[in-house]
Amino acid sequence: MGDRAYEGGGAGGTGGGGAPGGGVYDWYRRGVRLLEEKHPAAAVQLLARAAEAEPGSGSIREALARAQFDAGQYGQALESFRAVAEADPSDDYAQFGWGVSAARLGDFETSAEHLALAVAMQPGNRHYQAALRQTRATLAARAGAYGPLLPGAPGYLAPPEDPAP
């Protein structure tokens, strides 16, 4: 998921007591670097501390959400993306993140709602469009829009046999 600039600059811990060295901005930058280097679980640790210190920072919260998503923490990612989107409903990326997190959790109705918002805000974004198409196809398949599954198809359940009298 994409990187955005940090908009705050609060003070932070300088080590000791289990706190990482440096301030909030240092934690944010190191967390983003860990995320870019494909270490999302480690990034979550730093970014969660930064988000705790600067709860109003959308950039920190978004980076945390990306790290949580990449670490497979979809429930936490959804909550973080939701916080960013509720603070700024016009944030298309937060809506997208909310939608893909919901899809990973199996909530395709919520996924479709937020992915549709992201596509409406950024109609040319192919990633948003593809995610929305996939979610809508899942919803349609679950609703039987493509007809019944044929024997042998993945997900096909054979009808129960009648018990012999």
Side-chain angles (χ1 to χ4, degrees):
M1 304 184 105
D3 182 22
R4 300 207 181 157
Y6 171 70
E7 72 246 2
T14 56
V24 175
Y25 183 71
D26 297 318
W27 302 340
Y28 169 77
R29 288 302 312 148
R30 286 189 306 208
V32 169
R33 190 172 332 112
L34 285 166
L35 185 58
E36 291 167 349
E37 293 171 354
K38 309 289 187 227
H39 302 289
V44 166
Q45 299 303 311
L46 281 170
L47 293 168
R49 184 170 293 271
E52 187 176 305
E54 293 280 343
S57 171
S59 295
I60 291 174
R61 177 69 70 182
E62 180 185 288
L64 174 59
R66 290 176 22 234
Q68 290 166 326
F69 186 89
D70 289 354
Q73 300 171 3
Y74 304 120
Q76 294 91 338
L78 185 144
E79 292 305 319
S80 294
F81 279 123
R82 181 192 334 241
V84 174
E86 287 177 347
D88 180 6
S90 67
D91 187 330
D92 60 283
Y93 188 78
Q95 297 289 347
F96 170 72
W98 188 347
V100 294
S101 297
R104 291 291 174 104
L105 293 168
D107 184 356
F108 292 98
E109 290 81 8
T110 298
S111 176
E113 176 184 343
H114 293 283
L115 291 173
L117 286 170
V119 168
M121 288 184 239
Q122 292 292 328
N125 187 309
R126 290 180 288 164
H127 296 290
Y128 294 5
Q129 293 170 359
L132 180 58
R133 272 193 311 273
Q134 185 174 17
T135 288
R136 286 183 171 164
T138 299
L139 286 169
R142 287 185 173 181
Y146 298 113
L149 290 176
L150 299 175
Y156 175 79
L157 298 175
E161 293 184 26
D162 290 330

